[in-house]
Amino acid sequence: MSLGMGATVERLTRKRFLVQAGYDGLAWVPSLWAGALLRYELDVTALPVGELVVFSLMAVVLQVVIGRTMGLYVHRWRYASFEEIVGAAKAAGLTTVVLTAIDLLAPSGRPVPLSTTISGGMFALLLMAVGRFSWRIWLEKVTRADGDEQEPVIVFGAGEAGLQIVKSMQRRGPFRPVAVLDDNPDLRNLQVKGVPVRGDRSDISSVAARSGADTLVIAIPSAPSSLIREIVALADDAGLTTLVLPPVTELLGGGVAVSDIRPLTEADL
């Protein structure tokens, strides 16, 4: 990642919640108009323009205020995670309820068709989800480390620790994951953050030969010493250097990163 791109990402990250709140609020504008167009069978001349403008402005304010109150625009959830999407759905749903109530209780009759606020809420939530996933995909792409300068490694373990270590390697550090191995047959041919699961421990030698890797990282913090000894023996036969993660009891905060990878010790074996 270039220095210029890194600075851009850092600026956007610092302003993430401001941008996110603005994006979510503005997502209501095309959504309400799209809902009204569908109600009037795409007849633009039939649209209640003035009323739609007022409802769009109310929707923007309501989404930002409700979302902020519910913690959507503070550092509560991981970006584009299931929990954050649920939070966005709750905020959008409550905004829809308030807009619908305003529409139903208007003294001069419904300013906009009832279906406009309901379908508009669904469209707005869809835009919010698309925006989050698009940002996450772009961020992972631009923050990915330069693979040409990294050492190719095989990661043993496709569980949560394996997922975290692969993601960490792709962002920074001296390692580039080229393959993942796991003894669970159900994981064969799956991918961990784009890195394919190539087989189980019996495939260590063949995968090392195909991938050009010289190192194997055991990404199972809870692995017993008997399992580590077996994998180390297979890795030694394949000419691989084996690295491990600390036991679960030594990991702070429950997460793992490249900085946690270390050489084997007698205690591991």
Side-chain angles (χ1 to χ4, degrees), residues 169-235:
M169 287 179 180
Q170 290 175 337
R171 290 175 181 169
R172 65 185 69 84
F175 303 117
R176 172 170 57 90
V178 294
V180 177
L181 299 175
D182 197 286
D183 287 336
N184 185 349
D186 295 334
L187 300 179
R188 185 179 288 269
N189 299 322
L190 295 181
Q191 292 191 345
V192 178
K193 301 304 292 182
V195 182
V197 179
R198 296 296 190 187
D200 54 28
R201 72 180 74 179
S202 64
D203 298 297
I204 289 177
S205 181
S206 60
V207 171
R210 292 198 307 268
S211 64
D214 295 318
T215 303
L216 181 140
V217 176
I218 301 177
I220 309 177
S222 60
S225 57
S226 58
L227 174 61
I228 294 178
R229 286 196 300 270
E230 291 181 29
I231 296 174
V232 169
L234 293 170

Side-chain angles (χ1 to χ4, degrees), residues 22-23 41 54 60 97 112 117 121 123 140 143 145 151 157 168 175 199-200 205 211 232-234 246 249 255 265:
Y23 175 85
E41 299 180 347
V54 172
V60 171
V97 170
V112 298
T117 57
F123 290 147
E140 290 181 353
T143 55
E151 175 187 351
S168 184
F175 303 117
D200 54 28
S205 181
S211 64
V232 169
L234 293 170
T249 54
T265 66

Side-chain angles (χ1 to χ4, degrees), residues 85-246:
I85 297 300
V86 171
K90 291 179 179 178
L94 188 53
T95 300
T96 301
V97 170
V98 175
L99 287 175
T100 302
I102 293 173
D103 190 35
L104 290 172
L105 298 176
S108 58
R110 291 201 296 267
V112 298
L114 189 61
S115 61
T116 298
T117 57
I118 297 174
S119 59
M122 292 187 290
F123 290 147
L125 178 59
L126 178 62
L127 287 177
M128 294 175 201
V130 169
R132 281 165 170 77
F133 285 117
S134 298
W135 167 257
R136 182 171 175 176
I137 292 171
W138 177 81
L139 189 63
E140 290 181 353
K141 180 179 179 180
V142 300
T143 55
R144 182 163 295 194
D146 186 358
D148 294 336
E149 299 178 358
Q150 295 176 297
E151 175 187 351
V153 301
I154 299 170
V155 176
F156 189 91
E160 182 60 29
L163 171 62
Q164 292 184 32
I165 207 66
V166 167
K167 289 173 60 178
S168 184
M169 287 179 180
Q170 290 175 337
R171 290 175 181 169
R172 65 185 69 84
F175 303 117
R176 172 170 57 90
V178 294
V180 177
L181 299 175
D182 197 286
D183 287 336
N184 185 349
D186 295 334
L187 300 179
R188 185 179 288 269
N189 299 322
L190 295 181
Q191 292 191 345
V192 178
K193 301 304 292 182
V195 182
V197 179
R198 296 296 190 187
D200 54 28
R201 72 180 74 179
S202 64
D203 298 297
I204 289 177
S205 181
S206 60
V207 171
R210 292 198 307 268
S211 64
D214 295 318
T215 303
L216 181 140
V217 176
I218 301 177
I220 309 177
S222 60
S225 57
S226 58
L227 174 61
I228 294 178
R229 286 196 300 270
E230 291 181 29
I231 296 174
V232 169
L234 293 170
D236 288 344
D237 291 340
L240 297 174
T241 300
T242 303
L243 302 175
V244 296
L245 293 174

